[in-house]
Amino acid sequence: MNRFPERLADDRTADTSETRAPAEPARPRTAGPGAADEGPEPGDTSGTRMLPAFAALLAGELVRRAEEDTRVTRQAQADPGTRARRAVLECRRANAVALEAIVRRHGWPAADQVGAEASTAALMILLHTPDLDFQLLCRDLIAQAVADGRCPPAQHAYIADHCAVELGEPQFYGTRVNPVTLRPYALRRPGTVDERRRDVGLCPLDEQMRALRERG
């Protein structure tokens, strides 16, 4: 069974989100070096085919940014304070700008182009992006990439659940966990959640929750 890193199944991160619920999904803003160049429209889920050398550079950048997010978040958890929280916010905002530029020019960085590790890193960056409009846009891009066989289905499960919770709606897969209660946020049709999780390559919900409690 293909399982994503536990960090994506755990919502116990520094509470620095400034996400807001939009009236409707918005297109990503142009940002970052070279973002004004011609590129595919954000709705073009196929992305542009990258040269191997460029794909490797992009993959390295995504992984580096995700690792920096993890580093500053752990520092904030170990030593809470204004400076640490600001560092998390600044890191996530910078990562969001970089990811938006990538999506604008190349579509979603799917596993078939940048590799599984870097695509998962992009998902982590997306989940920590303080812009729900952009997350909703990428949710749809990822759904199409999954349908095309370019991303693992679990990627869509994580971002779909994240957006549902942020919009005040029940989630489908139980990947979003309340950091206070260590229980999943509200579920849609909870009696069949494990069937849906199995369909996207996730372990049973009880197994996920047991692992989180053991780590806690």
Side-chain angles (χ1 to χ4, degrees), residues 184-198:
Y185 288 101
L187 287 165
R188 190 185 304 271
R189 299 194 299 274
T192 56
V193 64
D194 281 341
E195 295 177 21
R196 294 191 295 275
R197 290 175 65 87
R198 182 179 63 247

Side-chain angles (χ1 to χ4, degrees), residues 3-186:
R3 298 184 184 177
F4 272 45
E6 290 180 349
R7 65 188 178 186
L8 293 182
D10 189 353
D11 201 37
R12 290 176 292 173
T13 56
D15 185 15
T16 56
S17 175
E18 296 180 351
T19 302
R20 58 182 177 82
E24 61 182 51
R27 296 157 70 90
R29 296 181 301 275
T30 301
D37 296 345
E38 291 291 332
E41 289 298 311
D44 179 3
T45 57
S46 63
T48 56
R49 293 309 305 177
M50 304 176 192
L51 294 174
F54 178 79
L57 287 173
L58 184 58
E61 179 69 5
L62 289 167
V63 171
R64 182 193 67 78
R65 287 183 175 277
E67 289 177 345
E68 177 66 8
D69 182 308
T70 298
R71 185 186 68 80
V72 296
T73 299
R74 287 176 176 169
Q75 286 183 344
Q77 291 170 336
D79 185 19
T82 302
R83 180 177 299 179
R85 290 195 300 271
R86 186 181 300 117
V88 174
L89 281 172
E90 290 175 353
C91 174
R92 292 180 178 180
R93 286 170 178 157
N95 285 354
V97 168
L99 183 61
E100 287 185 29
I102 290 168
V103 171
R104 166 63 67 177
R105 298 184 68 186
H106 305 289
W108 178 253
D112 70 325
Q113 297 215 74
V114 299
E117 181 183 14
S119 190
T120 300
L123 177 62
M124 177 184 172
I125 292 169
L126 178 63
L127 291 172
H128 290 171
T129 295
D131 185 346
L132 183 56
D133 292 345
F134 180 60
Q135 291 172 332
L136 287 165
L137 174 77
C138 288
R139 177 196 63 185
D140 297 339
L141 298 182
I142 292 170
Q144 186 59 56
V146 169
D148 292 342
R150 303 176 56 238
C151 276
Q155 279 204 2
H156 183 254
Y158 280 108
I159 188 59
D161 276 0
H162 177 89
C163 290
V165 171
E166 294 301 315
L167 291 168
E169 301 171 354
Q171 55 180 330
F172 281 91
Y173 303 96
T175 62
R176 279 291 300 273
V177 176
N178 187 310
V180 176
T181 64
L182 289 186
R183 295 186 61 81
Y185 288 101

